[in-house]
Each structure stands twice: as structure tokens, then as C-alpha cells.
Amino acid sequence: MSKALNILLIEDDAIEVMKFNRVVKTLNLNHKIIEANNGEEALEILRIKEVIPDIILLDLNMPKLNGLDFLRILKNDEILKFIPSIMLTTSSNHKDLLECYKVGIAGYLLKPLKYDDYMERIKKLLDYWSINELISQ
């Protein structure tokens, strides 16, 4: 049985945030989306610990604190390090991919250019994590 997820979306591009929210709404998914514009803002949200997200979706290239630096900080926290973090990016650079997996991400997804492909990819991603047994529960 799938469950509603608390998703922390870390994305500096407003259009990408709107696109993600549109997919969730179009697919009639009941997930709660918590938005952060960059890694610093996401860390502030996580430090408050009002809502611990079930998964984190983040972009690699962001101002202030990029996705990789954010992950390094996250993975050093004894509680937050267990939150599955999935890179959602346009970077097909193999070095970026390897660095992210070295730090401990749960997945690396390229953002497709076509909206229908993007919607299908996000649907599969959220379907998987909504049936997965999450350690944060």
C-alpha cells in the first residue's frame, strides 16, 4: 500500500518547482511538498525538525550551497543522514554522478527535456518511494 510522503524539494529554479508541483497535482498524488530554494534554506528547514521529510529531491547546481555540499553536511548528521536523497538534475557529467554516489545518495535522475518524459520519471520515482519501507518512520 502506498503512502503519502513528506518531500523536501530543494530547487532554485522557480519553473522547475512549478513543474514538479504540477506533476504531483496532475497525478492526484497526496504528497506534502516542502520547498527550499537552496541548500542553506533546506538545512534551516531540517534543523527546525518540525517535519522530517521521508525523501529529499534536490538539484545539483544551486547558489549559496550546491547539492553536493548540502549532501556532505546532511550525511554528517546522525539523524538526517538516513533520509533518502535523490539528485534531480540536468547534469549528465559522470564525475558529478560518481561524487554524489560517493557521498551517499539514493538515486540520480536526469531531468528530461520533454514534459511527458519528466512526468513519467517523477511518477515512477514517487511510486517507488511511497511503497518503500523508509527508515525515518
Side-chain angles (χ1 to χ4, degrees), residues 35-96:
E35 299 172 11
N37 291 316
N38 58 61
E40 283 183 359
E41 191 177 309
L43 287 174
E44 287 303 313
I45 290 168
L46 291 169
R47 284 185 182 121
I48 295 169
K49 292 186 174 76
E50 265 181 40
V51 176
I52 300 293
D54 296 305
I55 63 171
I56 297 172
L57 302 178
L58 68 156
D59 193 10
L60 184 60
N61 301 308
M62 295 181 290
K64 296 187 181 181
L65 187 64
N66 70 33
L68 199 51
D69 291 337
F70 167 84
L71 285 171
R72 287 185 179 111
I73 294 168
L74 183 80
K75 295 302 179 181
N76 282 317
D77 184 288
E78 287 304 310
I79 296 169
L80 302 176
K81 69 181 178 183
F82 296 109
I83 302 170
S85 302
I86 299 100
M87 196 62 71
L88 188 57
T89 184
T90 57
S91 175
S92 59
N93 183 323
H94 193 68
K95 183 180 174 205
D96 289 340

Side-chain angles (χ1 to χ4, degrees), residues 3-136:
K3 69 177 199 84
L5 297 170
N6 290 317
I7 302 168
L8 176 57
L9 176 64
I10 311 170
E11 173 63 66
D12 63 313
D13 186 333
I15 292 170
E16 289 293 328
V17 173
M18 286 189 298
K19 186 167 70 171
F20 183 84
N21 282 311
R22 180 177 167 203
V23 167
V24 170
K25 185 177 180 182
T26 301
L27 295 172
N28 292 318
L29 301 174
N30 197 26
H31 303 304
K32 179 180 181 191
I33 313 299
I34 306 154
E35 299 172 11
N37 291 316
N38 58 61
E40 283 183 359
E41 191 177 309
L43 287 174
E44 287 303 313
I45 290 168
L46 291 169
R47 284 185 182 121
I48 295 169
K49 292 186 174 76
E50 265 181 40
V51 176
I52 300 293
D54 296 305
I55 63 171
I56 297 172
L57 302 178
L58 68 156
D59 193 10
L60 184 60
N61 301 308
M62 295 181 290
K64 296 187 181 181
L65 187 64
N66 70 33
L68 199 51
D69 291 337
F70 167 84
L71 285 171
R72 287 185 179 111
I73 294 168
L74 183 80
K75 295 302 179 181
N76 282 317
D77 184 288
E78 287 304 310
I79 296 169
L80 302 176
K81 69 181 178 183
F82 296 109
I83 302 170
S85 302
I86 299 100
M87 196 62 71
L88 188 57
T89 184
T90 57
S91 175
S92 59
N93 183 323
H94 193 68
K95 183 180 174 205
D96 289 340
L97 174 80
L98 290 175
E99 279 302 309
C100 289
Y101 276 107
K102 282 180 191 175
V103 174
I105 60 166
Y108 192 99
L109 271 72
L110 292 175
K111 296 176 190 172
L113 295 175
K114 289 175 58 181
Y115 179 76
D116 288 344
D117 294 341
Y118 177 83
M119 187 161 66
E120 181 65 23
R121 198 162 283 188
I122 296 301
K123 180 184 182 325
K124 287 178 181 176
L125 171 76
L126 297 180
D127 284 350
Y128 172 76
W129 287 105
S130 66
I131 62 168
N132 198 33
E133 297 299 324
L134 297 167
I135 200 166
S136 61

